[in-house]
Amino acid sequence: YFDGWKAYDRDPFHPSQNPNGVIQMGLAENQLSSDLIEDWVRSNPEASICTLEGVGKFKDVANFQDYHGLLEFRHAVAKFMSRGRGGKVTFDPHRVVMSAGATGANELIVFCLANPGDAFLLPSPYYPANDRDLQWRTGAQIIPVHCNSSNGFKITREALERSYAQAQESNINVKGVLLTNPSNPLGTILDRDTLKSIVSFVTDNNIHLVIDEIYAATVFVAPEFVSVSEILQEMDDTTCNPDLIHIVYSLSKDLGMPGFRVGIVYSFNDDVVSCARKMSSFGLVSTQTQHLLAAMLSDDVFVERFLAETRRRLGRRHGVFTKGLEELGIGCLKSNAGLYFWMDLRKLLEEETFEAEMVLWKVIINEVKLNVLLGSSFHCVGPGWFRVCFANMD
């Protein structure tokens, strides 16, 4: 996973200065609509305390603030989360807990829910850095729930139950299930029935469900995204315990601002909100950033245009790549969300092994000069799949 980044850093592509360098297609970064944000910043100079128009707010913003975060910021984030999910659900700003990016938010929620040695079920393929983010400092462990290409890598209750039973047989205390919806690296979404079955599974076993919805507003074609918050509204108390449900979110992907380090923990459990709030002081978002984003995300006209245009651009870019690959006889998993697609190069392997996948990847990165990420780094159970990012270049 990180070797590909290093290969790009050593020899980055540039259209004129280094046309034979490595092209970065391994970084899930959304730069397709950064021009819209730049236009908004130019049109709203008073939103920043570092402009003549906004400097009057400098002292207020630069001084110590409530560790809960600026109230206007939490209101704006809650509203943006609702807009990104089609306005079908509302979020309580008093349940919005800040963190330094989704990395910090994921670690924070694990600290709140688990003791060292406790485990979480995590369907594979999954984001490689979860191995670091969720385990290194918390002492928790990940148990992969293996999904495969035979059903499009879909998560089933049967697979969860099988992994849960195996963990119990090994005397491992399972604290919950971790999911990313839309999926990274698949670019697919969980349908309503699947979400309901997973919610029922955690409720039946009295374990937690943490869903990272960081790509919620990147769904560019039907079917529409379904948030777990919608599912809570549709299920009764016998099949769904809201105290077990938690959402991780960030502005890194939907808004294309990973450098701003805005992560969110949103829990339906009062005790978890209280615990997370206390721990959040170790990874707050700067008040300067909160101040600017509160103004931006409160601009309804801008937000509506930004979300619609971003989805249009993502869909167009996704089509350019997947259709072009199809013309070359290269298939991809059918997907409708995210900043990437899951490319199938199984027929290019010399043999059906992960060693052969590594050999092919080295050819792609060293000779073809493309940094795409090999499936084994995502814990994919079968070789030959690669994640290709398409939203981080012109």
Side-chain angles (χ1 to χ4, degrees), residues 313-327:
R313 294 180 185 186
L314 285 170
R316 183 175 62 188
R317 180 66 63 84
H318 179 273
V320 167
F321 275 100
T322 55
K323 290 173 184 174
L325 287 169
E326 185 179 356
E327 291 173 3

Side-chain angles (χ1 to χ4, degrees), residues 66-362:
D66 187 340
Y67 279 178
H68 290 191
L70 298 177
L71 185 58
E72 59 268 32
F73 171 73
R74 286 186 284 130
H75 274 277
V77 167
K79 189 175 181 180
F80 183 74
M81 289 175 66
S82 177
R83 293 288 289 274
R85 291 153 181 78
K88 299 172 187 173
V89 289
T90 58
F91 293 91
D92 181 354
H94 299 292
R95 292 189 177 277
V96 172
V97 180
M98 291 186 303
S99 177
T103 297
N106 275 300
E107 185 189 59
L108 192 157
I109 194 67
V110 171
F111 267 126
C112 289
L113 300 179
N115 290 318
D118 290 343
F120 290 87
L121 306 180
L122 181 54
S124 71
Y126 63 78
Y127 173 52
N130 277 336
D131 293 327
R132 171 199 66 189
D133 302 347
L134 305 176
Q135 297 182 114
W136 279 12
R137 298 203 303 176
T138 66
Q141 57 180 313
I142 291 173
I143 298 177
V145 179
H146 295 302
C147 306
N148 56 61
S149 59
S150 63
N151 69 344
F153 299 97
K154 289 182 180 178
I155 305 163
T156 64
R157 175 160 181 162
E158 291 73 25
L160 291 170
E161 288 176 338
R162 187 162 51 249
S163 295
Y164 184 68
Q166 290 170 353
Q168 287 187 309
E169 290 172 4
S170 301
N171 293 317
I172 298 173
N173 185 33
V174 176
K175 293 297 292 192
V177 176
L178 301 170
L179 301 172
T180 301
N181 183 34
S183 167
N184 176 8
L186 303 178
T188 57
I189 62 172
L190 295 174
D191 60 63
R192 183 171 263 97
D193 289 342
T194 299
L195 276 168
K196 286 184 176 180
S197 71
I198 295 170
V199 170
S200 295
F201 169 76
V202 299
T203 300
D204 291 345
N205 291 286
N206 196 35
I207 59 176
H208 294 272
L209 174 61
V210 180
I211 298 197
D212 187 341
E213 296 187 346
I214 190 173
Y215 294 99
T218 67
V219 179
F220 48 80
V221 69
E224 295 181 341
F225 175 72
V226 180
S227 171
V228 71
S229 52
E230 287 184 58
I231 301 302
L232 264 62
Q233 295 178 353
E234 299 173 5
M235 299 180 71
D236 58 42
D237 293 341
T238 62
T239 55
C240 172
N241 180 358
D243 282 346
L244 300 174
I245 310 300
H246 322 278
I247 296 173
V248 169
Y249 188 59
S250 168
L251 300 182
S252 297
K253 311 302 182 182
D254 287 350
L255 204 59
M257 290 185 168
F260 274 42
R261 308 310 303 147
V262 177
I264 300 296
V265 169
Y266 188 96
S267 176
F268 296 90
N269 183 316
D270 292 340
D271 290 336
V272 171
V273 171
S274 178
C275 178
R277 190 86 73 198
K278 293 179 176 69
M279 293 186 65
S280 69
S281 60
F282 297 102
L284 294 173
V285 179
S286 79
T287 49
Q288 178 183 351
T289 298
Q290 292 182 56
H291 177 73
L292 174 67
L293 290 176
M296 181 183 295
L297 298 181
S298 298
D299 186 336
D300 292 341
V301 174
F302 166 76
V303 169
E304 178 136 5
R305 179 184 173 226
F306 178 87
L307 292 175
E309 182 63 13
T310 297
R311 287 167 176 147
R312 187 186 70 81
R313 294 180 185 186
L314 285 170
R316 183 175 62 188
R317 180 66 63 84
H318 179 273
V320 167
F321 275 100
T322 55
K323 290 173 184 174
L325 287 169
E326 185 179 356
E327 291 173 3
L328 298 173
I330 296 174
C332 303
L333 183 71
K334 186 177 180 181
S335 60
N336 68 327
L339 315 176
Y340 37 74
F341 52 86
W342 195 231
M343 179 170 63
D344 183 0
L345 297 185
R346 287 177 293 179
K347 67 182 181 182
L348 296 185
L349 299 178
E350 292 185 357
E351 55 184 13
E352 196 175 334
T353 64
F354 287 110
E355 290 77 14
E357 179 184 86
M358 178 65 75
V359 169
L360 176 59
W361 180 70
K362 287 181 177 179

Side-chain angles (χ1 to χ4, degrees), residues 1-10 22 358 361-362 365-366 371-374 377:
Y1 179 63
F2 291 110
D3 283 347
W5 285 23
K6 292 173 185 176
Y8 170 77
D9 288 340
R10 286 192 300 268
V22 176
M358 178 65 75
W361 180 70
K362 287 181 177 179
I365 199 162
N366 295 322
N371 176 30
V372 299
L373 300 182
L374 65 174
S377 65

